[in-house]
Amino acid sequence: MKVYGLVGKDIDYSFSKKYFAEYFKKSGIEDCVYENFSINEIDGFKELLERNPSIAGLNITIPYKEAIIPFIHKLSKKAAAIGAVNVIRFQKNGKIKGYNTDCYGFKKSIKPLIQTHHRKALILGTGGSSKAIVFALNELDIACTYVSRNKKSDYLTYEELTAKTFEDFQIIVNCTPLGTFPKVDECPPVPYQYFSNKHLAFDLVYNPPETLFLQKAKQHDATIKNGWEMLIYQAKKSWQIWQK
C-alpha cells in the first residue's frame, strides 16, 4: 500500500484527504491511501518518515513550505526560484525532491479573471505561499508588493494602505490563514472601503468558501475568488509528479 499525505500543523480542515480519497475511488486505485500528518515542529519530519516507510509522496502546507527545504536533497528549478515547496517526491535512489505546484494552481485559477487594467498586486502575507503567488503573477507581467505586519524596506505595512494605494494596486491576494474555519470572523486589516469594481480580490483560503475578506471586498463590487480551484489544480499536478 502506497501512502501519500499532507504535512502541516493543525490541518484537520484540509480538503486534500477527502479529495484524494474520492479520486482514488473514482479512478479504481486500490493500493493508495492519503493521510494527514500534523506535526508541531518541522524537526518532527524525520521521525514522521521513519514511522511511515510506505510514504511515496507528500504535500506540504502551512507553516512548513519554507522550513521543509533543509530536509530535501534536490529542488526543481521552479521551487528553487520561488524558495518554497509544497510537493515532495521520493525518488528511486532514496533522495527527496521538492516541487512547487502552488504557482501553477494559482496562475491557472486567476488568469481568466485578469483584465487589462489589472497591472499591480498587493500580496497580503510573506510566507511560503505568498512567494509562489508572486512568482505566478510575475509570469503574468503583474508587479507585486508585499504587505506585512512588520516594516521592511520593500514591504508596505497594513497601516500604510490608503485610497491611493488601492488606486495603484488592482489585485489584492490574501496569502495569510486569516479567516480559515473555524476562525471565520477574522480577516486581514486592510481598508476595505477602498475596494471597487476595478479590483480583483483573491483569497487562498477555501474553507469557508466566502471568507470575511471576500465578503467585504464584494460589498464594494470587487470581483472575488477563493482558493478552491487553485487547490484542485495543484492537487492534480501533485499526483502527476508522484507518478513520474
Side-chain angles (χ1 to χ4, degrees), residues 133-165:
I133 273 48
V134 168
F135 188 91
L137 288 172
N138 286 342
E139 286 188 325
L140 295 169
D141 294 322
I142 293 172
C144 300
T145 296
Y146 287 105
V147 181
S148 174
R149 291 170 296 180
N150 303 311
K151 182 62 179 174
K152 293 186 179 179
S153 58
D154 296 333
Y155 297 178
L156 291 172
T157 64
Y158 289 98
E159 291 77 18
E160 292 174 323
L161 302 181
T162 64
K164 180 65 166 64
T165 312

PDB file of all heavy atoms in Angstrom, residues 133-165:
ATOM      1  N   ILE A 133       2.800  32.844  -5.179  1.00  0.00           N
ATOM      2  CA  ILE A 133       1.835  33.740  -5.811  1.00  0.00           C
ATOM      3  C   ILE A 133       2.554  34.860  -6.544  1.00  0.00           C
ATOM      4  O   ILE A 133       2.208  35.215  -7.675  1.00  0.00           O
ATOM      5  CB  ILE A 133       0.836  34.285  -4.754  1.00  0.00           C
ATOM      6  CG1 ILE A 133      -0.354  33.332  -4.583  1.00  0.00           C
ATOM      7  CG2 ILE A 133       0.284  35.637  -5.157  1.00  0.00           C
ATOM      8  CD1 ILE A 133      -0.087  31.894  -4.413  1.00  0.00           C
ATOM      9  N   VAL A 134       3.576  35.425  -5.921  1.00  0.00           N
ATOM     10  CA  VAL A 134       4.361  36.478  -6.575  1.00  0.00           C
ATOM     11  C   VAL A 134       5.029  35.934  -7.843  1.00  0.00           C
ATOM     12  O   VAL A 134       5.033  36.599  -8.887  1.00  0.00           O
ATOM     13  CB  VAL A 134       5.412  37.052  -5.607  1.00  0.00           C
ATOM     14  CG1 VAL A 134       6.419  37.928  -6.345  1.00  0.00           C
ATOM     15  CG2 VAL A 134       4.726  37.854  -4.503  1.00  0.00           C
ATOM     16  N   PHE A 135       5.564  34.734  -7.764  1.00  0.00           N
ATOM     17  CA  PHE A 135       6.205  34.112  -8.919  1.00  0.00           C
ATOM     18  C   PHE A 135       5.209  33.979 -10.073  1.00  0.00           C
ATOM     19  O   PHE A 135       5.513  34.323 -11.220  1.00  0.00           O
ATOM     20  CB  PHE A 135       6.757  32.746  -8.527  1.00  0.00           C
ATOM     21  CG  PHE A 135       7.603  32.096  -9.583  1.00  0.00           C
ATOM     22  CD1 PHE A 135       8.969  32.285  -9.615  1.00  0.00           C
ATOM     23  CD2 PHE A 135       7.028  31.276 -10.547  1.00  0.00           C
ATOM     24  CE1 PHE A 135       9.761  31.688 -10.593  1.00  0.00           C
ATOM     25  CE2 PHE A 135       7.799  30.670 -11.532  1.00  0.00           C
ATOM     26  CZ  PHE A 135       9.175  30.877 -11.554  1.00  0.00           C
ATOM     27  N   ALA A 136       4.002  33.495  -9.768  1.00  0.00           N
ATOM     28  CA  ALA A 136       2.982  33.305 -10.800  1.00  0.00           C
ATOM     29  C   ALA A 136       2.543  34.637 -11.401  1.00  0.00           C
ATOM     30  O   ALA A 136       2.399  34.760 -12.621  1.00  0.00           O
ATOM     31  CB  ALA A 136       1.783  32.566 -10.208  1.00  0.00           C
ATOM     32  N   LEU A 137       2.329  35.636 -10.559  1.00  0.00           N
ATOM     33  CA  LEU A 137       1.890  36.944 -11.060  1.00  0.00           C
ATOM     34  C   LEU A 137       2.970  37.605 -11.903  1.00  0.00           C
ATOM     35  O   LEU A 137       2.678  38.247 -12.918  1.00  0.00           O
ATOM     36  CB  LEU A 137       1.482  37.848  -9.894  1.00  0.00           C
ATOM     37  CG  LEU A 137       0.163  37.471  -9.212  1.00  0.00           C
ATOM     38  CD1 LEU A 137      -0.045  38.297  -7.949  1.00  0.00           C
ATOM     39  CD2 LEU A 137      -1.028  37.669 -10.155  1.00  0.00           C
ATOM     40  N   ASN A 138       4.212  37.440 -11.501  1.00  0.00           N
ATOM     41  CA  ASN A 138       5.303  37.992 -12.308  1.00  0.00           C
ATOM     42  C   ASN A 138       5.343  37.348 -13.692  1.00  0.00           C
ATOM     43  O   ASN A 138       5.647  38.008 -14.691  1.00  0.00           O
ATOM     44  CB  ASN A 138       6.645  37.803 -11.599  1.00  0.00           C
ATOM     45  CG  ASN A 138       6.818  38.741 -10.422  1.00  0.00           C
ATOM     46  OD1 ASN A 138       6.128  39.754 -10.305  1.00  0.00           O
ATOM     47  ND2 ASN A 138       7.735  38.430  -9.527  1.00  0.00           N
ATOM     48  N   GLU A 139       5.016  36.051 -13.747  1.00  0.00           N
ATOM     49  CA  GLU A 139       4.941  35.372 -15.053  1.00  0.00           C
ATOM     50  C   GLU A 139       3.833  35.964 -15.915  1.00  0.00           C
ATOM     51  O   GLU A 139       3.892  35.895 -17.148  1.00  0.00           O
ATOM     52  CB  GLU A 139       4.704  33.876 -14.857  1.00  0.00           C
ATOM     53  CG  GLU A 139       5.932  33.110 -14.372  1.00  0.00           C
ATOM     54  CD  GLU A 139       5.721  31.610 -14.382  1.00  0.00           C
ATOM     55  OE1 GLU A 139       4.579  31.153 -14.113  1.00  0.00           O
ATOM     56  OE2 GLU A 139       6.689  30.884 -14.653  1.00  0.00           O
ATOM     57  N   LEU A 140       2.831  36.551 -15.275  1.00  0.00           N
ATOM     58  CA  LEU A 140       1.720  37.203 -15.981  1.00  0.00           C
ATOM     59  C   LEU A 140       1.967  38.704 -16.168  1.00  0.00           C
ATOM     60  O   LEU A 140       1.058  39.450 -16.519  1.00  0.00           O
ATOM     61  CB  LEU A 140       0.409  36.983 -15.213  1.00  0.00           C
ATOM     62  CG  LEU A 140      -0.073  35.532 -15.124  1.00  0.00           C
ATOM     63  CD1 LEU A 140      -1.210  35.400 -14.131  1.00  0.00           C
ATOM     64  CD2 LEU A 140      -0.509  35.028 -16.504  1.00  0.00           C
ATOM     65  N   ASP A 141       3.211  39.128 -15.919  1.00  0.00           N
ATOM     66  CA  ASP A 141       3.619  40.534 -16.078  1.00  0.00           C
ATOM     67  C   ASP A 141       2.874  41.476 -15.140  1.00  0.00           C
ATOM     68  O   ASP A 141       2.572  42.620 -15.500  1.00  0.00           O
ATOM     69  CB  ASP A 141       3.437  40.996 -17.529  1.00  0.00           C
ATOM     70  CG  ASP A 141       4.363  40.263 -18.489  1.00  0.00           C
ATOM     71  OD1 ASP A 141       5.519  40.007 -18.108  1.00  0.00           O
ATOM     72  OD2 ASP A 141       3.916  39.939 -19.605  1.00  0.00           O
ATOM     73  N   ILE A 142       2.578  40.985 -13.950  1.00  0.00           N
ATOM     74  CA  ILE A 142       1.938  41.810 -12.928  1.00  0.00           C
ATOM     75  C   ILE A 142       2.938  42.046 -11.806  1.00  0.00           C
ATOM     76  O   ILE A 142       3.482  41.099 -11.231  1.00  0.00           O
ATOM     77  CB  ILE A 142       0.664  41.134 -12.402  1.00  0.00           C
ATOM     78  CG1 ILE A 142      -0.393  41.084 -13.511  1.00  0.00           C
ATOM     79  CG2 ILE A 142       0.110  41.868 -11.178  1.00  0.00           C
ATOM     80  CD1 ILE A 142      -1.608  40.273 -13.183  1.00  0.00           C
ATOM     81  N   ALA A 143       3.191  43.311 -11.507  1.00  0.00           N
ATOM     82  CA  ALA A 143       4.139  43.686 -10.449  1.00  0.00           C
ATOM     83  C   ALA A 143       3.488  43.489  -9.089  1.00  0.00           C
ATOM     84  O   ALA A 143       2.285  43.720  -8.917  1.00  0.00           O
ATOM     85  CB  ALA A 143       4.570  45.138 -10.620  1.00  0.00           C
ATOM     86  N   CYS A 144       4.282  43.075  -8.112  1.00  0.00           N
ATOM     87  CA  CYS A 144       3.750  42.737  -6.787  1.00  0.00           C
ATOM     88  C   CYS A 144       4.482  43.495  -5.681  1.00  0.00           C
ATOM     89  O   CYS A 144       5.686  43.728  -5.770  1.00  0.00           O
ATOM     90  CB  CYS A 144       3.875  41.241  -6.516  1.00  0.00           C
ATOM     91  SG  CYS A 144       2.997  40.195  -7.689  1.00  0.00           S
ATOM     92  N   THR A 145       3.724  43.813  -4.636  1.00  0.00           N
ATOM     93  CA  THR A 145       4.295  44.385  -3.421  1.00  0.00           C
ATOM     94  C   THR A 145       3.708  43.648  -2.225  1.00  0.00           C
ATOM     95  O   THR A 145       2.495  43.455  -2.147  1.00  0.00           O
ATOM     96  CB  THR A 145       3.983  45.886  -3.302  1.00  0.00           C
ATOM     97  OG1 THR A 145       4.618  46.580  -4.382  1.00  0.00           O
ATOM     98  CG2 THR A 145       4.485  46.459  -1.980  1.00  0.00           C
ATOM     99  N   TYR A 146       4.595  43.231  -1.314  1.00  0.00           N
ATOM    100  CA  TYR A 146       4.147  42.536  -0.106  1.00  0.00           C
ATOM    101  C   TYR A 146       3.573  43.520   0.899  1.00  0.00           C
ATOM    102  O   TYR A 146       4.042  44.657   1.024  1.00  0.00           O
ATOM    103  CB  TYR A 146       5.310  41.806   0.561  1.00  0.00           C
ATOM    104  CG  TYR A 146       5.783  40.562  -0.139  1.00  0.00           C
ATOM    105  CD1 TYR A 146       6.967  40.561  -0.873  1.00  0.00           C
ATOM    106  CD2 TYR A 146       5.065  39.376  -0.040  1.00  0.00           C
ATOM    107  CE1 TYR A 146       7.423  39.401  -1.496  1.00  0.00           C
ATOM    108  CE2 TYR A 146       5.518  38.220  -0.659  1.00  0.00           C
ATOM    109  CZ  TYR A 146       6.694  38.241  -1.388  1.00  0.00           C
ATOM    110  OH  TYR A 146       7.137  37.090  -2.005  1.00  0.00           O
ATOM    111  N   VAL A 147       2.561  43.050   1.643  1.00  0.00           N
ATOM    112  CA  VAL A 147       2.041  43.788   2.794  1.00  0.00           C
ATOM    113  C   VAL A 147       2.261  42.925   4.030  1.00  0.00           C
ATOM    114  O   VAL A 147       1.854  41.758   4.060  1.00  0.00           O
ATOM    115  CB  VAL A 147       0.535  44.102   2.642  1.00  0.00           C
ATOM    116  CG1 VAL A 147       0.038  44.901   3.848  1.00  0.00           C
ATOM    117  CG2 VAL A 147       0.281  44.873   1.351  1.00  0.00           C
ATOM    118  N   SER A 148       2.916  43.493   5.032  1.00  0.00           N
ATOM    119  CA  SER A 148       3.288  42.737   6.218  1.00  0.00           C
ATOM    120  C   SER A 148       2.921  43.512   7.482  1.00  0.00           C
ATOM    121  O   SER A 148       2.765  44.736   7.461  1.00  0.00           O
ATOM    122  CB  SER A 148       4.797  42.462   6.206  1.00  0.00           C
ATOM    123  OG  SER A 148       5.226  41.858   7.406  1.00  0.00           O
ATOM    124  N   ARG A 149       2.797  42.784   8.586  1.00  0.00           N
ATOM    125  CA  ARG A 149       2.590  43.438   9.874  1.00  0.00           C
ATOM    126  C   ARG A 149       3.851  44.154  10.319  1.00  0.00           C
ATOM    127  O   ARG A 149       3.788  45.105  11.097  1.00  0.00           O
ATOM    128  CB  ARG A 149       2.196  42.406  10.930  1.00  0.00           C
ATOM    129  CG  ARG A 149       0.816  41.798  10.722  1.00  0.00           C
ATOM    130  CD  ARG A 149       0.576  40.627  11.649  1.00  0.00           C
ATOM    131  NE  ARG A 149       1.503  39.533  11.360  1.00  0.00           N
ATOM    132  CZ  ARG A 149       1.522  38.381  12.013  1.00  0.00           C
ATOM    133  NH1 ARG A 149       0.679  38.178  12.998  1.00  0.00           N
ATOM    134  NH2 ARG A 149       2.386  37.433  11.686  1.00  0.00           N
ATOM    135  N   ASN A 150       4.998  43.706   9.808  1.00  0.00           N
ATOM    136  CA  ASN A 150       6.281  44.269  10.221  1.00  0.00           C
ATOM    137  C   ASN A 150       6.910  45.061   9.089  1.00  0.00           C
ATOM    138  O   ASN A 150       6.910  44.631   7.928  1.00  0.00           O
ATOM    139  CB  ASN A 150       7.228  43.136  10.637  1.00  0.00           C
ATOM    140  CG  ASN A 150       6.628  42.281  11.746  1.00  0.00           C
ATOM    141  OD1 ASN A 150       6.150  42.793  12.743  1.00  0.00           O
ATOM    142  ND2 ASN A 150       6.638  40.962  11.544  1.00  0.00           N
ATOM    143  N   LYS A 151       7.442  46.204   9.411  1.00  0.00           N
ATOM    144  CA  LYS A 151       8.029  47.087   8.412  1.00  0.00           C
ATOM    145  C   LYS A 151       9.352  46.542   7.900  1.00  0.00           C
ATOM    146  O   LYS A 151      10.247  46.211   8.675  1.00  0.00           O
ATOM    147  CB  LYS A 151       8.245  48.483   9.015  1.00  0.00           C
ATOM    148  CG  LYS A 151       8.822  49.498   8.027  1.00  0.00           C
ATOM    149  CD  LYS A 151       7.884  49.720   6.847  1.00  0.00           C
ATOM    150  CE  LYS A 151       8.448  50.756   5.878  1.00  0.00           C
ATOM    151  NZ  LYS A 151       7.606  50.880   4.657  1.00  0.00           N
ATOM    152  N   LYS A 152       9.460  46.421   6.583  1.00  0.00           N
ATOM    153  CA  LYS A 152      10.721  46.098   5.918  1.00  0.00           C
ATOM    154  C   LYS A 152      10.866  47.028   4.725  1.00  0.00           C
ATOM    155  O   LYS A 152       9.877  47.600   4.244  1.00  0.00           O
ATOM    156  CB  LYS A 152      10.743  44.630   5.468  1.00  0.00           C
ATOM    157  CG  LYS A 152      10.766  43.630   6.614  1.00  0.00           C
ATOM    158  CD  LYS A 152      10.929  42.205   6.095  1.00  0.00           C
ATOM    159  CE  LYS A 152      10.966  41.209   7.251  1.00  0.00           C
ATOM    160  NZ  LYS A 152      11.100  39.809   6.773  1.00  0.00           N
ATOM    161  N   SER A 153      12.072  47.138   4.222  1.00  0.00           N
ATOM    162  CA  SER A 153      12.353  48.169   3.221  1.00  0.00           C
ATOM    163  C   SER A 153      11.467  48.074   1.979  1.00  0.00           C
ATOM    164  O   SER A 153      11.014  49.088   1.456  1.00  0.00           O
ATOM    165  CB  SER A 153      13.832  48.106   2.819  1.00  0.00           C
ATOM    166  OG  SER A 153      14.158  46.828   2.315  1.00  0.00           O
ATOM    167  N   ASP A 154      11.219  46.858   1.506  1.00  0.00           N
ATOM    168  CA  ASP A 154      10.455  46.697   0.268  1.00  0.00           C
ATOM    169  C   ASP A 154       8.981  46.371   0.496  1.00  0.00           C
ATOM    170  O   ASP A 154       8.245  46.149  -0.458  1.00  0.00           O
ATOM    171  CB  ASP A 154      11.082  45.597  -0.586  1.00  0.00           C
ATOM    172  CG  ASP A 154      12.485  45.945  -1.033  1.00  0.00           C
ATOM    173  OD1 ASP A 154      12.784  47.145  -1.140  1.00  0.00           O
ATOM    174  OD2 ASP A 154      13.289  45.016  -1.263  1.00  0.00           O
ATOM    175  N   TYR A 155       8.560  46.314   1.761  1.00  0.00           N
ATOM    176  CA  TYR A 155       7.187  45.940   2.086  1.00  0.00           C
ATOM    177  C   TYR A 155       6.382  47.170   2.493  1.00  0.00           C
ATOM    178  O   TYR A 155       6.928  48.154   2.988  1.00  0.00           O
ATOM    179  CB  TYR A 155       7.139  44.948   3.262  1.00  0.00           C
ATOM    180  CG  TYR A 155       7.790  43.612   3.041  1.00  0.00           C
ATOM    181  CD1 TYR A 155       7.822  42.675   4.062  1.00  0.00           C
ATOM    182  CD2 TYR A 155       8.370  43.267   1.821  1.00  0.00           C
ATOM    183  CE1 TYR A 155       8.425  41.432   3.885  1.00  0.00           C
ATOM    184  CE2 TYR A 155       8.968  42.035   1.633  1.00  0.00           C
ATOM    185  CZ  TYR A 155       8.997  41.120   2.670  1.00  0.00           C
ATOM    186  OH  TYR A 155       9.587  39.903   2.494  1.00  0.00           O
ATOM    187  N   LEU A 156       5.073  47.065   2.302  1.00  0.00           N
ATOM    188  CA  LEU A 156       4.148  48.003   2.929  1.00  0.00           C
ATOM    189  C   LEU A 156       3.618  47.370   4.208  1.00  0.00           C
ATOM    190  O   LEU A 156       3.547  46.151   4.316  1.00  0.00           O
ATOM    191  CB  LEU A 156       2.973  48.317   1.993  1.00  0.00           C
ATOM    192  CG  LEU A 156       3.278  49.128   0.727  1.00  0.00           C
ATOM    193  CD1 LEU A 156       2.043  49.169  -0.172  1.00  0.00           C
ATOM    194  CD2 LEU A 156       3.739  50.530   1.079  1.00  0.00           C
ATOM    195  N   THR A 157       3.240  48.184   5.163  1.00  0.00           N
ATOM    196  CA  THR A 157       2.526  47.681   6.335  1.00  0.00           C
ATOM    197  C   THR A 157       1.039  47.936   6.129  1.00  0.00           C
ATOM    198  O   THR A 157       0.642  48.758   5.297  1.00  0.00           O
ATOM    199  CB  THR A 157       2.990  48.372   7.625  1.00  0.00           C
ATOM    200  OG1 THR A 157       2.660  49.772   7.548  1.00  0.00           O
ATOM    201  CG2 THR A 157       4.490  48.199   7.838  1.00  0.00           C
ATOM    202  N   TYR A 158       0.222  47.242   6.890  1.00  0.00           N
ATOM    203  CA  TYR A 158      -1.227  47.432   6.771  1.00  0.00           C
ATOM    204  C   TYR A 158      -1.628  48.869   7.081  1.00  0.00           C
ATOM    205  O   TYR A 158      -2.555  49.411   6.470  1.00  0.00           O
ATOM    206  CB  TYR A 158      -1.957  46.453   7.691  1.00  0.00           C
ATOM    207  CG  TYR A 158      -1.891  45.018   7.215  1.00  0.00           C
ATOM    208  CD1 TYR A 158      -0.959  44.127   7.738  1.00  0.00           C
ATOM    209  CD2 TYR A 158      -2.743  44.555   6.218  1.00  0.00           C
ATOM    210  CE1 TYR A 158      -0.878  42.818   7.293  1.00  0.00           C
ATOM    211  CE2 TYR A 158      -2.683  43.242   5.768  1.00  0.00           C
ATOM    212  CZ  TYR A 158      -1.742  42.377   6.310  1.00  0.00           C
ATOM    213  OH  TYR A 158      -1.669  41.080   5.849  1.00  0.00           O
ATOM    214  N   GLU A 159      -0.919  49.496   8.004  1.00  0.00           N
ATOM    215  CA  GLU A 159      -1.235  50.876   8.394  1.00  0.00           C
ATOM    216  C   GLU A 159      -0.942  51.872   7.273  1.00  0.00           C
ATOM    217  O   GLU A 159      -1.495  52.978   7.254  1.00  0.00           O
ATOM    218  CB  GLU A 159      -0.426  51.265   9.646  1.00  0.00           C
ATOM    219  CG  GLU A 159      -0.842  50.546  10.920  1.00  0.00           C
ATOM    220  CD  GLU A 159      -0.328  49.109  10.984  1.00  0.00           C
ATOM    221  OE1 GLU A 159       0.612  48.776  10.227  1.00  0.00           O
ATOM    222  OE2 GLU A 159      -0.884  48.306  11.769  1.00  0.00           O
ATOM    223  N   GLU A 160      -0.086  51.479   6.337  1.00  0.00           N
ATOM    224  CA  GLU A 160       0.298  52.386   5.250  1.00  0.00           C
ATOM    225  C   GLU A 160      -0.650  52.329   4.049  1.00  0.00           C
ATOM    226  O   GLU A 160      -0.514  53.118   3.115  1.00  0.00           O
ATOM    227  CB  GLU A 160       1.721  52.060   4.783  1.00  0.00           C
ATOM    228  CG  GLU A 160       2.786  52.393   5.811  1.00  0.00           C
ATOM    229  CD  GLU A 160       4.169  51.919   5.386  1.00  0.00           C
ATOM    230  OE1 GLU A 160       4.272  50.831   4.764  1.00  0.00           O
ATOM    231  OE2 GLU A 160       5.143  52.623   5.697  1.00  0.00           O
ATOM    232  N   LEU A 161      -1.602  51.421   4.053  1.00  0.00           N
ATOM    233  CA  LEU A 161      -2.512  51.283   2.916  1.00  0.00           C
ATOM    234  C   LEU A 161      -3.522  52.417   2.901  1.00  0.00           C
ATOM    235  O   LEU A 161      -4.211  52.674   3.887  1.00  0.00           O
ATOM    236  CB  LEU A 161      -3.229  49.935   2.974  1.00  0.00           C
ATOM    237  CG  LEU A 161      -2.328  48.691   2.995  1.00  0.00           C
ATOM    238  CD1 LEU A 161      -3.182  47.435   3.034  1.00  0.00           C
ATOM    239  CD2 LEU A 161      -1.384  48.678   1.799  1.00  0.00           C
ATOM    240  N   THR A 162      -3.625  53.091   1.763  1.00  0.00           N
ATOM    241  CA  THR A 162      -4.502  54.261   1.626  1.00  0.00           C
ATOM    242  C   THR A 162      -5.365  54.124   0.376  1.00  0.00           C
ATOM    243  O   THR A 162      -5.234  53.163  -0.393  1.00  0.00           O
ATOM    244  CB  THR A 162      -3.663  55.536   1.511  1.00  0.00           C
ATOM    245  OG1 THR A 162      -2.897  55.463   0.288  1.00  0.00           O
ATOM    246  CG2 THR A 162      -2.714  55.707   2.705  1.00  0.00           C
ATOM    247  N   ALA A 163      -6.212  55.128   0.158  1.00  0.00           N
ATOM    248  CA  ALA A 163      -7.017  55.166  -1.061  1.00  0.00           C
ATOM    249  C   ALA A 163      -6.115  55.184  -2.293  1.00  0.00           C
ATOM    250  O   ALA A 163      -6.404  54.529  -3.307  1.00  0.00           O
ATOM    251  CB  ALA A 163      -7.924  56.388  -1.048  1.00  0.00           C
ATOM    252  N   LYS A 164      -5.024  55.911  -2.210  1.00  0.00           N
ATOM    253  CA  LYS A 164      -4.071  55.978  -3.334  1.00  0.00           C
ATOM    254  C   LYS A 164      -3.452  54.611  -3.602  1.00  0.00           C
ATOM    255  O   LYS A 164      -3.265  54.220  -4.765  1.00  0.00           O
ATOM    256  CB  LYS A 164      -2.972  56.996  -3.009  1.00  0.00           C
ATOM    257  CG  LYS A 164      -1.924  57.152  -4.110  1.00  0.00           C
ATOM    258  CD  LYS A 164      -2.544  57.738  -5.372  1.00  0.00           C
ATOM    259  CE  LYS A 164      -1.488  58.218  -6.359  1.00  0.00           C
ATOM    260  NZ  LYS A 164      -0.640  57.138  -6.883  1.00  0.00           N
ATOM    261  N   THR A 165      -3.155  53.865  -2.531  1.00  0.00           N
ATOM    262  CA  THR A 165      -2.619  52.509  -2.695  1.00  0.00           C
ATOM    263  C   THR A 165      -3.585  51.658  -3.512  1.00  0.00           C
ATOM    264  O   THR A 165      -3.181  50.933  -4.430  1.00  0.00           O
ATOM    265  CB  THR A 165      -2.376  51.833  -1.334  1.00  0.00           C
ATOM    266  OG1 THR A 165      -1.665  52.708  -0.478  1.00  0.00           O
ATOM    267  CG2 THR A 165      -1.592  50.544  -1.508  1.00  0.00           C
TER     268      THR A 165
END
